[in-house]
Amino acid sequence: MENGNSSGDNKSSRKPIRCKAAVSRKAGEPLVMEEIMVAPPQPYEVRIRIICTALCHSDVTFWKLQVPPACFPRILGHEAIGVVESVGENVKEVVEGDTVLPTFMPDCGECVDCKSQKSNLCSKFPFKVSPWMPRYENSSRFTDLNGQTLFHFLNVSSFSEYTVLDVANIVKIDSSIPPSRACLLSCGVSTGVGAAWETAKVEQGSTVVIFGLGSIGLAVAEGARLCGASRIIGVDINPAKFQVGQNFGITEFVNSMTCEKKSVSEVINEMTGGGADYCFECVGSSSLVQEAYACCRQGWGKTITLGVDKPGSQICLDSFDVLHHGKILMGSLFGGLKAKTHIPLLLKRYLSNELELDKFVTHEMKFEEINDAFQLLLEGKCIRCVLWMG
């Protein structure tokens, strides 16, 4: 057994590591900071030491959730950066000491879908909120000190000083990039920017409407700005979000609570003279998806849904509207990005001062302060809070 100061040599890589983790033991209750055991990587797996991890609303969603796919005890967290501590057999693309971004979306590079330019959905490892390692069903790399199994989360589980990932869920990056900025591309910023850039393919001079100005919505605005959209209209119930949104390219704002007798879609249709070119739903509400679809322009309008709604939620659309108005409705996981291809491109745009990552980080705290960070996120007081290990 090794403690968290393992050097990662061949001898120690065969042994479990004892380290700190923030464990979610019951829905909605504070995470428990405790020592756990992290098993060595199996074939096609890597064990990494987390440098820092950021909080995402998906972590909050599954922390609160009391029905499947929720399960406890679990190690949440999926937006992070780390250093490879050890590798299992058959791992060729990284070695010990490499800096990597974990990603919840697999990119195996081998299946028909991963080889295609049309999709980022891997068919070898279909996306699912599984409590296990993707290549080994019913297999976890985490146990507590009593031997109880701790479940994985979104193929990452970054609320731990060490974690184990499949090689399909890591991207090697330049170690000189600031960790607190690079980690944002592990999930949130990539999801929003990618939705505008890769999924919707926002055109220069177009009109964009974004429902929900949380971190994902602001990332969509950043992506739309990079694509050259001329009007970026933000929709939210919090008027303070407009001032924040202006830093990300928001040009106009609609408070959905003050539309009087009109629906939000009616207000947007009036503002845009018949509907926006692109609408993005970033909250996770089926009713908002319907509103977004209702105010994207007939003939070519696209509605992209990114928000995570409750399991079993359904979207109801008028069949006449679907048939006669020629609109497009599509979902977007991880912004439609292929992690191993597109994350390096986004990092280049950051290094060339095109993609602005600094403005997303509003708080930086110690890992031990994770419950305080959760509270900031719940109260809407942060965009991204980065938690530093060690």
Side-chain angles (χ1 to χ4, degrees):
M1 187 196 312
E2 299 287 327
N3 62 25
N5 296 319
S6 168
S7 64
D9 58 29
N10 288 333
K11 188 176 180 180
S12 67
S13 67
R14 301 291 186 268
K15 299 178 180 179
I17 283 179
R18 180 169 173 167
C19 68
K20 289 181 183 178
V23 181
S24 179
R25 289 199 168 271
K26 193 171 182 180
E29 293 193 355
L31 304 186
V32 180
M33 191 67 65
E34 59 186 86
E35 291 196 333
I36 66 164
M37 302 304 300
V38 182
Q42 296 300 303
Y44 300 100
E45 294 179 353
V46 299
R47 185 164 60 187
I48 70 172
R49 174 179 59 82
I50 297 294
I51 299 172
C52 60
T53 184
L55 299 189
C56 175
H57 272 283
S58 295
D59 297 312
V60 174
T61 298
F62 283 91
W63 168 66
K64 289 181 176 180
L65 197 63
Q66 299 185 34
V67 297
C71 58
F72 301 93
R74 191 174 220 166
I75 298 177
L76 299 169
H78 63 286
E79 186 171 291
I81 183 172
V83 175
V84 175
E85 177 271 339
S86 57
V87 301
E89 296 176 7
N90 305 319
V91 174
K92 296 182 172 66
E93 63 184 81
V94 294
V95 297
E96 294 173 15
D98 281 345
T99 301
V100 294
L101 289 185
T103 61
F104 72 90
M105 283 293 288
D107 186 357
C108 76
E110 300 172 353
C111 68
V112 172
D113 297 86
C114 286
K115 289 180 178 179
S116 169
Q117 298 301 310
K118 298 178 180 179
S119 170
N120 71 333
L121 303 177
C122 178
S123 54
K124 185 174 182 179
F125 303 112
F127 174 76
K128 54 184 177 180
V129 186
S130 169
W132 311 114
M133 295 299 294
R135 204 178 294 255
Y136 304 94
E137 194 64 25
N138 300 320
S139 180
S140 171
R141 301 291 169 266
F142 301 121
T143 54
D144 66 15
L145 296 188
N146 294 318
Q148 182 184 18
T149 296
L150 304 174
F151 298 118
H152 289 254
F153 179 63
L154 291 180
N155 303 320
V156 178
S157 292
S158 60
F159 292 168
S160 172
E161 291 178 321
Y162 286 81
T163 187
V164 178
L165 298 99
D166 193 278
V167 72
N169 293 94
I170 58 167
V171 180
K172 181 181 175 180
I173 68 165
D174 184 347
S175 62
S176 67
I177 300 171
S180 61
R181 285 9 181 200
C183 75
L184 304 181
L185 296 179
S186 179
C187 178
V189 173
S190 289
T191 295
V193 170
W197 170 42
E198 183 64 20
T199 302
K201 293 179 168 48
V202 169
E203 296 178 335
Q204 189 167 357
S206 59
T207 297
V208 170
V209 177
I210 303 169
F211 288 78
L213 296 182
S215 56
I216 300 298
L218 294 173
V220 171
E222 176 70 5
R225 181 190 66 80
L226 287 172
C227 292
S230 60
R231 297 179 71 185
I232 305 176
I233 303 169
V235 180
D236 204 285
I237 61 174
N238 183 357
K241 292 290 184 71
F242 182 38
Q243 184 175 356
V244 175
Q246 287 177 306
N247 296 326
F248 296 82
I250 298 292
T251 59
E252 299 156 74
F253 181 77
V254 174
N255 185 338
S256 56
M257 300 295 287
T258 59
C259 292
E260 297 179 350
K261 295 182 180 180
K262 296 180 181 178
S263 66
V264 175
S265 57
E266 288 174 325
V267 172
I268 297 294
N269 283 328
E270 290 178 4
M271 290 176 65
T272 57
D277 301 303
Y278 308 94
C279 292
F280 296 85
E281 195 284 325
C282 305
V283 176
S285 165
S286 57
S287 62
L288 277 184
V289 174
Q290 292 159 206
E291 283 290 289
Y293 186 79
C295 63
C296 70
R297 191 169 188 86
Q298 67 175 11
W300 67 74
K302 291 182 180 179
T303 296
I304 316 297
T305 177
L306 293 85
V308 179
D309 207 341
K310 295 178 182 178
S313 298
Q314 297 186 356
I315 299 169
C316 297
L317 298 174
D318 187 297
S319 61
F320 181 92
D321 192 19
V322 173
L323 175 63
H324 290 82
H325 292 161
K327 304 176 182 182
I328 296 172
L329 171 62
M330 56 197 307
S332 179
L333 270 177
F334 198 57
L337 302 183
K338 291 180 180 292
K340 296 179 192 289
T341 300
H342 291 117
I343 285 179
L345 295 178
L346 289 177
L347 285 171
K348 285 183 179 179
R349 299 192 77 171
Y350 167 66
L351 292 174
S352 63
N353 296 316
E354 298 174 60
L355 174 61
E356 300 174 7
L357 295 178
D358 295 356
K359 59 193 178 186
F360 284 93
V361 180
T362 55
H363 296 76
E364 297 188 46
M365 303 170 71
K366 297 178 181 178
F367 179 48
E368 289 78 9
E369 299 174 298
I370 189 168
N371 286 309
D372 295 331
F374 258 65
Q375 195 60 37
L376 287 172
L377 193 63
L378 287 167
E379 294 172 359
K381 294 180 178 178
C382 73
I383 299 174
R384 269 299 186 263
C385 179
V386 175
L387 300 169
W388 289 90
M389 301 289 180

